[in-house]
Each structure stands twice: as C-alpha cells, then as structure tokens.
Amino acid sequence: MIQTNSKEMIAMLLAGGQGSRLGVLTNNVAKPAVPFGGKYRIIDFPLSNCVNSGIDTIGVLTQYQPLELNAYIGNGQPWDLDRLYGGVSILPPYVKGSEGEWYKGTANAIYQNIHFIEMYRPKYVLILSGDHIYKMNYDLMLKHHKEKNADCTIAVLKVPIEEASRFGVMNADDNLKIYEFEEKPKEPKSNLVSMGVYIFTWDKLKEFLIKDEGNKNSDNDFGKNIIPAMLEEGQNLYAYEYNGYWKDVGTVESLWEANMDLLNPNVPIELNDPPWKIYSRNGILPPQCIGENAKLHNSSISEGCKIDGEVENSIIFPGVIIEKDVIVSNSIIMPSTIIESGSLIEYSIIASNVVIEKNSQIGLNKKPILNNEKREITVIGQELIITEGTIVPAGVMVDKSILEKGA
Amino acid sequence: MMSNVLGLIFSYSERENLREMTKTRTLASLPFGGKYRIIDFILSNYVNSAIYDIFILTRNNYHSLVDHLGSGKEWDLTRKRGGLRILSPFSNPGSNETGVYKGTIEALSRNMHSIRRSMAEYIVISGSSILCQMNFQDILKSHIERNADITVAYTRAMNGCNIIPQGVNLLKMDEDERIHDLIINNDDINAQDVTCDIGVIVLKKSLLESLVADAMSYGRYDFYRDIIQRLSSTLNILGYECKNHIFEISSVTGYMQANMNLLNEDVRKNAFVQPIYTKVKDSVPAIYLEGCHVKNSIISDGCKIEGSVENSILSRGVKIGKGAIVKNSIIMQNAEIMKTVILDHVILDKDVMVRENRHITGHDTYPVVIEKFSIV
C-alpha cells in the first residue's frame, strides 16, 4: 500500500441515492449530478466546500446511475482534487471474495469502505450527502468537534418550529450536547434540525459501524441506527449550529426554489465569492451571445448560450439556444436545450438536450392564478423532443417525447 | 502520425502597434473575443490538430503569458511526451548580448538547443498577429504530398479587413502556388487580389536547423526576407491557401475590427467550429439585472449588467452600472463601469474603473484605449 503521512480528516460523500422525488430529472443521472444554478451540479457544492475547508481526500460513494457522475468527477481536477496522495476516489459497491452486495444503507456504504478510509489513517471522518445547496466551512465544525471532545458532531440548522417535523430533530442541552434524536417527529421539541453533515471520530465510528453490521434488524442508516445507538450508549454527541443558507433540493419544487433563490438578492446565497468559489467542470464553450431581439430581466445566463428571445427570472445553463419571439419566465433551462421561435415557457424545469419546437407552450396555466398561490412546476425530461405547437399544461412531468400535437 | 510534429509559436510580433494594450503584455496574451487571449486560438489549433508538443518563443513582457498558461493543463498540454514549454530569452554568461533578438532567425537560433532536442520530424510555426481556425494536419499533408521544402499559409483576402495593414508579407506565386517572391507591404493598401502570408509555416526540422545556422553565419536575421524571399529560387517553397476567416491584430483598429467581426454569426461559427481552450476561472454565470438592455453582444461569465450594452464584447467579470450605455466597445476583464457612464468606440483594458457620469467617445478609425488599472 502506498502511504505517506496520515490525513487528519477525510470526507465520505454519499452520492448513491436515486432522488426519486426529482422524477424525470433523475431518470438517467444520480441526484448529485443534477444541474444546478446555471453552470453547476449539486455535487459541486459539497466538493467545493471540502476543498475550500482544506479537505483534500474525498471518497464519493456511488450506486444509482453512476456513469454521468463518474464522468463528471473524472480525476477531480476542476476541484483541485487531482492529488498525488488523496484526492477524489469514486467508490462503487464491489465484490468481496465470493460475494458482494449493494450498499444497503448509508451506514453500510461506509462500512463497506472501511479499508478505503483506513488507507489514510484519519482521525476524523466527515460524512456528507450530495443533495444540499450550501456553503460551509467544515474546518470550523472540526474545531468545534475537538473543543467539545465529541465522538460525533452533527451540523444543525434552526428552522421555524412548524417546519421541524419534516426533518431529523436534535434535542440538545445549553451546551449543545445532544440527548435525544427524533426522525420527523409529529411534535418537535426543538427547532434544531440535522443538515445531514456529520463529523465522527473515526475509531468510534468504526466501532459502531461494525456493531451495526452485526445487527440483522438494522436498516444500516446513520439517522435511524448509528446516531440512536451512539446516544443509547452515552457517547458524546454534539450539535454544531450553522447559520447560513442551506437547502435540500430533493424535490422538484425545492430544486426550482433553490435556483430562484440565486436570483433573489434578499436570499443569503452569493456564489460570486472569490475566497469561497464553487468549482465545476467547465464545458469548452465560447462566451454567450445576445442577439438583436433579446430582452433580459433578472436572469442568469451561461457560456455558449445564444439568446434572441425574452428571458425573465430564469436560470439558463450553458449551450442553450433561445430563438426570437420566445418568452421564458420563472424557469430553469438545463444545458444544450433548444427553444425554437414562438414558444412560451413558464414555471418549468427543462432538462438538458431537449428540443422544444416552434410555437409550443410549456407550463401553461389554464386556471386563473390567485394571489400568492404557488405555481405548479412543469418538468420536461432529458433529450426529449416536443413537437411544434404542443401545449404542456402546468404541473405535468413529461418523460417521453411528444411527437404529436395535443393538449 | 502527428506525434512527429513540433509546434513553434512566436508570442510577439515585430510589427505590431497596439498602443497601451501591449505595454505590459506580449501580443499573445492580449485578451480577445471576450474571455480568450490570442494564444488560446493558436494553441487550440495545435491541440485540435493533435499536436501536443509545443514551444512558445518569447521576447519581452511575457509574464502575463506565463501567468495565463500555467502548466498548460487547460489546453491539455501537461504531458510527459511533449507538452507545453515556454522558451524565455536569456543572455549567455560572459556575453554582453541582451535577451532581445535581432530577428526571428536569431530567436530560433538562440533556442535551437531546445528545438534540436525534440524528436519531431516536422515543425509547424505560428505567429501571434493573425488568427485563423486551421487544421494543421491538412497543411502538413499538403506539404508532404507536394514535396515542398517550405509551405507558407496564405489568404486571398483578409476577410473583414478593408485594408491590408502595413508590414504584412505579400506573396507572389505562380499557378502551382510556388512562391517566387515576397514583398513587405509598406503602406496600408486595399485588399484586392493580393495573397497575404498569415504567419503559418511548415518545414522539416532538419531543414530549419540548417537554414537558421546558415543565415546566422551571414548575419541575416529575418525569416521572411532572408530565407523565404532570398531562397525562393532554390527551394521549393509553396503556398497553402487558408479559406477560413482571418483575424488580423497588429493595430488598434485591426484589433477592434477583429473583435467586432465575432458579432457576425458566420464568422463566429467559423471561429468556434472547433473548441477553443482557455484558462478556467470558475466565474459565476452572467447576471442580467432588471432594467438592462443588451443587444448584439458577446458576454462572458461573471459579468453583472444593469445598464445598456450594444455591439460590444465583454470579458469576464465586467460590471455595468444602472443607466450606463456601452456601445461598439471592448471591455476587458473585471472592468467596472459605474452609473450613467457613456462609452462608444472604447477599449477598456483589464481592471479599469470608469466613474459615474463619465462620457468617453472614440471613433471607428481611432478607438480610445484606456490602460490597465486606470481610473477615469
């Protein structure tokens, strides 16, 4: 085994989930590879946070539809993770001896990679998931972990108490020591909810992973099994409060909202932040070209785009073509999609490589819109062709090409 | 087959006059086409033609080029076999020669120790003042098939240039494209029926070595005059026509024109038919705020636009304030244009700040150039 010095902390990024609530958007890709924010993918956020926090060794655990994610991460160079020792490693499930198995749960996925972690002899292990948008300095969290002499530190967020029941709630004392953990409680006792970011002292985690693996009734899940087991045995679990922007983008609505948050100056997520850049793999594309007939309002547009229509409150990813007499409003148009002239797109997420032919209407709302009513989001899946003049009503999720006209 | 080719790029031009723009940088690192620099177009030609062994000859002010290129990773040129090497000028210990070369031949001669070490059989030379999307496989194939000693790429019309700038080499050829004479254009002339050299030359490395050694021993320093012109009767020197769009960048008006030509869709398609690689900056996408009006412009990542932009080229990270009007201008990286400024026919270099209410107007024939780091 090649070894030099040990790493103080390495990160394990759980990127194997299907993200079924994103529907057609994750038909062909794992959730962490879903495009976000005009040029990024969701996984760029935890990866960049790691690198910016000084973590240079990351294992990415993949299972569901890993091809695009693997190709995207590659050797990790865009995130500065092409290292002589460490860097980024893709960790799919593999055959061991005569048998092998899928990752049964989040804890099992780490358990199956104990050897990978031991290669770096870390003192601490950071467990992350690939479905949240936030900027966080994990180094400060590690400092907190050491100060408290904790066995496990869980990053928590304060939410309005009425929303807490959607999350895993941490009940902690004044010293932030956690005495109880409740997964999605009906009547939450606290408004501190878990962000799915954990730091474990590795020796402790290893001990509990092995124990958990021996328990046949366990779901091998961090939230359901490992954390409660550690609490039961009186380990030191501490909460670490995070005050910035954090958003779970596990549903179509939350993905749409998180994208729109980037256009809202009142939401505290600023990506144009030189000391804390979000890195991503860049396509080799020329700068964007804005045509004679373009009208742009409060929108974010990326490289390689050709815009000749009207774009309002929208996020346009690289390589998108918007022809003239098109109106795109409150929508997210993912890479390399073409929207032909005369089309109207509103409150929609159009996945990558879609062609929307002339005079189509996507996200058409037939009912009158009441004030403050949440608009339904329309989703068009990857690589589909929507034929000329098609009308797709609001709230529909399209997963195969519409080649005939119809309402 | 292409692994036996070495690319040689002259990062400077002996005839350019780009005023303040090349005061602190060599020509090859001049920003061009929004987020690019001139060298990006040249290097991409090589990389897209599968030539991965490249030397860049520098003369002075090349620090910005070194900074831009780094290890060459972004051009896929960080390699064990070949890769990118910058040949910087040096003076030999004990000699009082300075790093400044007397001409292209001396530059080649002084760097011959590196060139000789390359295992390549052929050399493809490029200059930095004329850009053109070119497949070097094709010119090399033609060079070998036609049994040429030297192949010189030329264009029939400086596309988009109304005049042929001073200093361009005009080639005289017979019907078989054999070059029998070369004249150096000494006045800006109309571009009618002339064949202009575009700075791309193909020849065998062994021939280059002997030609350079020979010329040096006679104290001849100019590749075009002292090799191509002087030896046109003895060597088989052939022309090779490049039909793609040409960007000629040796004067401020030429630079302006070349940038503006990119606003034409056909020119743009031609220029970007192959990927053009450049340094990755991880900037955020461009943001268009309420009240902006953008028409017929090229905008790069990281820009934040609240004002009006028309017929202009914006590099990365440019800020345009409310009520500002930017027309027919080139704005380089991180320039900041504050509220209600009016710019017309202006070239703002990197990190320039134009304060509120300033009006700057140049003209087609004489664009205003504002030097790097200026505050207006």
Side-chain angles (χ1 to χ4, degrees), chain A residues 39-40 77 271-272 277 279-280 282 284-292 296-303, chain B residues 33 35-36 73 265 268 275-276 280-288 290 292 294-299 301:
Chain A
K39 68 179 281 196
Y40 309 97
Q77 185 262 317
L271 299 186
N272 192 2
K277 274 188 183 172
Y279 306 99
S280 65
N282 284 265
I284 313 293
L285 290 168
Q288 56 197 278
C289 200
I290 310 297
E292 283 290 335
L296 311 171
H297 314 276
N298 195 35
S299 294
S300 155
I301 301 178
S302 295
E303 291 184 326
Chain B
K35 64 172 180 168
Y36 302 101
K73 190 159 64 180
E265 185 160 355
R268 203 167 54 237
I276 306 294
V280 173
K281 289 268 167 88
D282 292 289
S283 340
V284 295
I287 300 283
Y288 297 88
E290 207 51 62
C292 75
V294 183
K295 250 176 90 173
N296 195 34
S297 294
I298 288 177
I299 314 283
D301 271 4

Side-chain angles (χ1 to χ4, degrees), chain B residues 13 16 34 56 131 165 175 187 254 280 318 358 371-373:
Chain B
S13 164
E16 52 100 342
I56 299 183
L131 300 182
E175 306 89 77
D187 196 8
V280 173
V318 170
R358 305 285 193 268
E371 204 180 328
K372 199 171 163 180
F373 296 123

Side-chain angles (χ1 to χ4, degrees), chain B residues 1-7 46-55 77 79-83 85 115 117-124 136-137 140 144 205:
Chain B
M1 170 210 164
M2 293 306 277
S3 64
N4 62 351
V5 181
L6 171 69
Y46 284 99
V47 172
N48 290 329
S49 307
I51 300 174
Y52 294 105
D53 191 2
I54 297 169
F55 287 158
L77 288 171
R79 316 210 143 248
K80 290 190 173 175
R81 296 175 67 95
R85 265 155 293 177
I115 297 168
R117 263 210 322 254
S118 158
M119 284 179 289
E121 187 180 359
Y122 292 95
I123 291 190
V124 178
F136 292 146
Q137 304 233 25
L140 190 76
I144 294 166
K205 196 183 80 172

Side-chain angles (χ1 to χ4, degrees), chain A residues 354-371:
Chain A
V354 171
V355 178
I356 294 183
E357 295 188 349
K358 284 178 191 155
N359 304 319
S360 298
Q361 297 187 29
I362 314 290
L364 193 74
N365 207 332
K366 286 184 173 162
K367 301 173 292 186
I369 305 147
L370 301 169
N371 275 349

